[in-house]
Amino acid sequence: MKKIDNALFNAIMEQAKTSPRRRMNFDLRTQAFEEGWKDSSQRMLNVLMKDSVVPIHRHTETSETVIVLRGSGEEVFYDDKGKETERILIIAGSDCCALQVPRNVYHTFVPKEDGTVIFEGKDRPYDPVATEEFLQG
């Protein structure tokens, strides 16, 4: 059993503070797909500092579930030409603490607080070459 609590969030945040990307993820799968386990999903925590930049991207094979567990941020959506189309504030414990990002929709997450924790779930493991496209701009 692994407790998912503030102690875990804080430990991951300490790593995020010193990461060049200013964020750190924590894999929640019981065994990585590369190790032969049949769990080909993505279930992870992502702890972000407010100056972390998540590139604008889309998932070509799956939708994505984003749940803010601590802190807050904005999910920002774009059209295929890079024009912003919508911005949704997501706050842990609020009326809007989660959302579903549709497949093939460009988006990014902008953390509003240091130590913002999000749960990300997708039907496919993270693979930036085969399952993600980054918006060129």
Side-chain angles (χ1 to χ4, degrees):
M1 176 178 69
K2 179 70 173 170
K3 285 176 61 177
I4 299 173
D5 58 11
N6 278 318
L8 176 62
F9 298 163
N10 291 338
I12 301 167
M13 183 175 69
E14 288 306 312
Q15 296 174 44
K17 286 178 181 178
T18 60
S19 167
R21 297 181 336 149
R22 303 287 288 157
R23 65 181 188 265
M24 185 60 59
N25 63 43
F26 182 85
D27 193 347
L28 291 170
R29 295 174 299 163
T30 53
Q31 187 175 18
F33 186 66
E34 296 80 24
E35 296 172 4
W37 185 251
K38 300 300 182 201
D39 184 352
S40 62
S41 68
Q42 175 179 301
R43 293 186 315 256
M44 72 174 195
L45 300 175
N46 203 344
V47 180
L48 304 102
M49 306 308 288
K50 66 181 174 183
D51 59 348
S52 178
V53 176
V54 178
I56 300 169
H57 64 286
R58 66 181 173 187
H59 309 285
T60 58
E61 296 183 2
T62 181
S63 61
E64 178 178 31
T65 302
V66 177
I67 304 169
V68 176
L69 301 172
R70 180 169 83 176
S72 62
E74 290 180 315
E75 194 74 37
V76 186
F77 298 92
Y78 301 85
D79 66 17
D80 289 348
K81 295 181 177 152
K83 180 182 176 199
E84 184 178 317
T85 60
E86 189 171 10
R87 188 175 282 255
I88 299 172
L89 181 62
I90 312 168
I91 302 172
S94 75
D95 286 343
C96 184
C97 62
L99 58 81
Q100 187 77 15
V101 178
R103 181 176 65 88
N104 277 327
V105 173
Y106 282 110
H107 64 281
T108 188
F109 183 83
V110 180
K112 295 296 183 185
E113 303 170 47
D114 282 342
T116 293
V117 180
I118 61 175
F119 168 85
E120 296 179 28
K122 294 189 303 194
D123 296 335
R124 304 274 190 275
Y126 175 73
D127 183 347
V129 175
T131 64
E132 291 193 9
E133 293 179 351
F134 294 90
L135 189 62
Q136 304 302 313

